[in-house]
Amino acid sequence: EPEVTQTPSHQVTQMGQEVILRCVPISNHLYFYWYRQILGQKVEFLVSFYNNEISEKSEIFDDQFSVERPDGSNFTLKIRSTKLEDSAMYFCASSEWAGLTSYGYTFGSGTRLTVV
Amino acid sequence: LAKTTQPISMDSYEGQEVNITCSHNNIATNDYITWYQQFPSQGPRFIIQGYKTKVTNEVASLFIPADRKSSTLSLPRVSLSDTAVYYCLVGAWNQGGKLIFGQGTELSVKP
């Protein structure tokens, strides 16, 4: 079964540092997403990406965040200057199309970001 | 996107059938109902999706009454490994594809 791969699985960074979280979506998928989940809280939408541009972003996704698809396989989330409250699990997801599929959206296993 | 309401938690025992009901009174004509499962420290995993009546796959069944204002996820003969959080989502997802997760139902399966 195809998987969405995320690296690293766990990253510890100092407050104010830049971090880049990496994802390899499923190869024939066209839509890419980032979500985050603060410990004990809901899964929250951050951003969706299609055709090399952002389709939609939440209010969480402010100027400190950016996404990029630098090549044909990777999808990255950058946080420019991390804050303590950015500590969370970050999930990448992909889908064949932004609609209804038999298989839904495929999520990766996540990157646990800890800001100290 | 329609608001959903589901129980915060449920307990069950191995081998039992578990039914988790989700209310979505404001569901729109174009909306579908989708259920996801999430284990601790893992990403959500798609379980099943439907529009009306009944849908069944190798993992679960989804029952949707004619008015579509609720839906029931049915897990046959649960095992300890079915302990997870189950999310009910409602939406059309044809313009941007954003999924909105609620708090979900934390299912605990006991031996």
Side-chain angles (χ1 to χ4, degrees):
Chain A
E1 187 175 326
E3 290 183 344
V4 172
T5 305
Q6 291 187 243
T7 55
S9 58
H10 190 186
Q11 178 148 5
V12 181
T13 188
Q14 289 201 328
M15 193 168 50
Q17 295 296 305
E18 174 184 285
V19 296
I20 297 177
L21 309 183
R22 303 181 191 280
C23 169
V24 179
I26 293 173
S27 60
N28 64 335
H29 284 188
L30 302 176
Y31 295 83
F32 314 113
Y33 314 86
W34 284 100
Y35 289 78
R36 79 171 186 189
Q37 186 173 33
I38 295 171
L39 187 63
Q41 297 188 23
K42 297 186 293 186
V43 177
E44 300 175 291
F45 169 77
L46 293 179
V47 65
S48 58
F49 191 86
Y50 169 70
N51 200 25
N52 284 320
E53 61 183 26
I54 291 173
S55 306
E56 186 175 2
K57 59 184 180 180
S58 72
E59 57 190 26
I60 302 169
F61 194 89
D62 60 22
D63 292 344
Q64 292 299 314
F65 292 87
S66 62
V67 289
E68 192 178 32
R69 188 153 162 83
D71 53 42
S73 59
N74 292 286
F75 181 50
T76 63
L77 173 69
K78 182 193 291 186
I79 309 175
R80 287 189 183 78
S81 178
T82 50
K83 308 184 191 79
L84 294 176
E85 55 264 37
D86 293 327
S87 295
M89 280 287 280
Y90 287 81
F91 296 110
C92 173
S94 68
S95 67
E96 273 185 274
W97 53 291
L100 305 161
T101 74
S102 299
Y103 306 104
Y105 296 63
T106 303
F107 284 78
S109 295
T111 293
R112 181 173 298 284
L113 176 65
T114 303
V115 182
V116 297
Chain B
L1 294 170
K3 179 176 165 54
T4 60
T5 303
Q6 51 183 124
I8 293 173
S9 64
M10 291 181 70
D11 290 332
S12 182
Y13 291 94
E14 281 190 293
Q16 289 188 332
E17 177 183 79
V18 170
N19 296 308
I20 306 174
T21 296
C22 177
S23 297
H24 28 80
N25 291 319
N26 296 324
I27 189 168
T29 304
N30 294 335
D31 286 344
Y32 278 65
I33 300 150
T34 305
W35 287 79
Y36 280 78
Q37 173 192 56
Q38 186 182 26
F39 298 113
S41 298
Q42 292 190 28
R45 184 175 77 102
F46 173 86
I47 302 175
I48 198 166
Q49 180 169 268
Y51 184 81
K52 62 179 178 181
T53 62
K54 177 183 172 183
V55 180
T56 297
N57 61 22
E58 64 277 7
V59 176
S61 294
L62 179 59
F63 298 92
I64 306 167
D67 67 5
R68 305 199 328 121
K69 293 184 184 297
S70 67
S71 59
T72 300
L73 175 73
S74 181
L75 305 171
R77 301 179 61 81
V78 294
S79 64
L80 297 176
S81 62
D82 292 316
T83 294
V85 179
Y86 292 83
Y87 300 97
C88 165
L89 292 84
V90 172
W93 300 304
N94 57 355
Q95 295 181 10
K98 177 174 65 180
L99 298 178
I100 301 296
F101 288 85
Q103 293 290 356
T105 297
E106 189 168 358
L107 173 66
S108 178
V109 180
K110 301 173 183 174

